[in-house]
């Protein structure tokens, strides 16, 4: 699929959780790792990020771009560096951009959250489609559950040569096989890779992903910076106390509770900001947002990213051979 050994994609984890170390580890294990481009124009920084990743792996990888934020110069850098995959989400992209990417030898893979978005992606000539269900952690682009949306998109694509990658709540081999049975050719995992050794997430964030098992779909974090972008988060004590704040409240009038260095820039973190803590973050970590998908309760330990890929592949093969070989 798309020239990668296994149909396992590591989601572009924002704002900088999927750095070169994680992406390279996934690539070296045979999966597709995705860097996350900054949410502002930073072409020189992004070029350095890509080249650092190349110093850690000889295998291809990709970069995820959120189109809701400034991105034109960043995309130019991705194409000029001839990264294997440009992954896009949360915005409009043209057939001309897809053709430009193809001219540079770059494949385009959008993430969609609805049947209509999938239709637009097909018409734009994309190379694969990530179908995200409402079960996903982080910012959720659609309202449909994966188990209903995925086969609808499979039927829409029909016999076109466009691989479908399932995303939303998948963390283990059972979810992998379930996605395949619904017609997907691969899976995209976010939360499972946040809880990996190479992820740039704060240790306390990783610990909570192992210890906690409940999530909630909400819009309380980052309302001012990214309006209209609902998200799924861990039900931390802080979230439970603040989840019912009035719709007009947002992070702008809240106190500063910490600081992070994100893509080389020091940022102040206000209470209710939509920024997860990374390894540089200081302050009141427990009061910061922690994105997680519905499958978080199945994550029981922090593993090397390569081991995550290995367990997914071997576990799926075992399931198919032992549970379904007689069908």
């Amino acid at each position: 699929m798309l020239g990668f050994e296994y149909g396992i994609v590591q989601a572009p984890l924002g704002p900088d959780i999927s750095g070169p170390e994680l992406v390279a580890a996934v690539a070296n294990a045979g999966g597709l790792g995705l860097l996350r481009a900054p949410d502002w124009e930073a072409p020189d920084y992004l070029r350095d990020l890509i080249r650092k990743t190349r110093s850690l792996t000889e295998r291809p990888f990709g970069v995820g771009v959120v189109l809701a934020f400034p991105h034109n110069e960043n995309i130019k850098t991705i194409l000029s560096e001839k990264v294997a995959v440009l992954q896009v989400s949360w915005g409009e992209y043209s057939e001309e951009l897809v053709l430009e990417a193809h001219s540079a030898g770059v494949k385009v893979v959008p993430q969609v959250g609805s049947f209509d978005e999938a239709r637009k992606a097909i018409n734009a000539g994309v190379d694969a489609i990530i179908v995200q269900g409402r079960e996903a952690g982080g910012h959720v682009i659609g309202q449909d559950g994966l188990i209903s949306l995925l086969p609808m998109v499979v039927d829409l694509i029909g016999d076109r040569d466009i691989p479908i990658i399932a995303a939303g709540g998948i963390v283990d081999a059972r979810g992998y096989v379930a996605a395949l049975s619904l017609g997907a050719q691969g899976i995209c995992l976010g939360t499972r890779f946040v809880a990996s050794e190479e992820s740039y997430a704060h240790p306390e964030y990783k610990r909570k992903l192992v210890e906690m098992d409940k999530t909630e779909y909400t819009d309380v974090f980052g309302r001012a910076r990214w309006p209209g972008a609902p998200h799924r988060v861990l039900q931390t004590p802080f979230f439970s106390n603040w989840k019912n704040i009035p719709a007009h409240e947002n992070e702008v009038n809240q106190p500063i509770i910490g600081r992070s260095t994100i893509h080389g820039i020091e940022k102040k973190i206000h209470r209710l900001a939509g920024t997860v803590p990374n390894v540089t973050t200081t302050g009141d970590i427990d009061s910061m947002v922690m994105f997680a998908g519905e499958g978080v309760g199945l994550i029981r330990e922090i593993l090397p990213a390569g081991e995550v890929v290995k367990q997914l592949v071997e576990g799926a093969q075992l399931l198919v051979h032992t549970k379904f070989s007689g069908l």
Side-chain angles (χ1 to χ4, degrees), residues 110-114 118 129-133 146 149-150 153 164-168:
Q111 177 172 280
V112 305
S114 71
I129 299 174
I130 299 173
V131 178
Q132 184 198 52
L146 186 63
L149 177 61
L150 180 56
V153 176
I164 302 173
I165 302 160

Side-chain angles (χ1 to χ4, degrees), residues 80-142:
S80 68
E81 287 293 312
K82 299 186 183 299
V83 176
V85 171
L86 166 63
Q87 189 268 345
V88 293
S89 61
W90 286 93
E92 297 295 325
Y93 51 92
S94 64
E95 184 178 353
E96 288 72 26
L97 172 61
V98 175
L99 291 172
E100 184 181 358
H102 288 169
S103 296
V106 178
K107 293 180 171 66
V108 179
V109 180
Q111 177 172 280
V112 305
S114 71
F115 185 83
D116 288 341
E117 285 183 333
R119 191 195 307 277
K120 290 178 182 177
I122 294 169
N123 292 337
V126 302
D127 299 280
I129 299 174
I130 299 173
V131 178
Q132 184 198 52
R134 198 172 187 267
E135 304 90 339
H139 293 90
V140 182
I141 202 168

Side-chain angles (χ1 to χ4, degrees), residues 150-272:
L150 180 56
M152 290 173 62
V153 176
V154 169
D155 291 346
L156 174 67
I157 288 177
D159 59 1
R160 297 180 181 91
D161 188 20
I162 303 176
I164 302 173
I165 302 160
I170 302 170
V171 299
D172 64 12
R174 292 169 294 183
Y176 190 1
V177 173
L180 296 177
S181 72
L182 291 170
Q185 283 77 47
I187 54 172
C188 181
L189 300 91
T191 310
R192 175 63 269 192
F193 283 114
V194 176
S196 69
E197 290 183 2
E198 295 89 349
S199 131
Y200 204 54
H202 192 281
E204 184 66 11
Y205 180 12
K206 294 184 185 182
R207 186 180 68 82
K208 281 184 165 54
L209 291 175
V210 172
E211 293 180 355
M212 304 186 75
D213 61 4
K214 289 184 174 59
T215 67
E216 190 163 330
Y217 180 86
T218 183
D219 75 337
V220 302
F221 294 102
R223 285 174 174 170
R225 177 176 175 271
W226 194 355
H231 34 272
R232 184 172 298 281
V233 303
L234 279 177
Q235 286 188 15
T236 62
F238 172 83
F239 171 73
S240 296
N241 289 333
W242 285 78
K243 66 180 182 179
N244 294 319
I245 61 171
H248 67 274
E249 292 285 347
N250 60 54
E251 69 273 25
V252 171
N253 59 358
Q254 295 294 322
I256 295 169
I257 61 170
R259 285 174 167 79
S260 288
T261 300
I262 300 171
H263 289 305
I265 298 177
E266 184 172 328
K267 302 275 190 178
K268 298 174 182 177
I269 299 179
H270 290 256
R271 187 167 59 200
L272 299 180

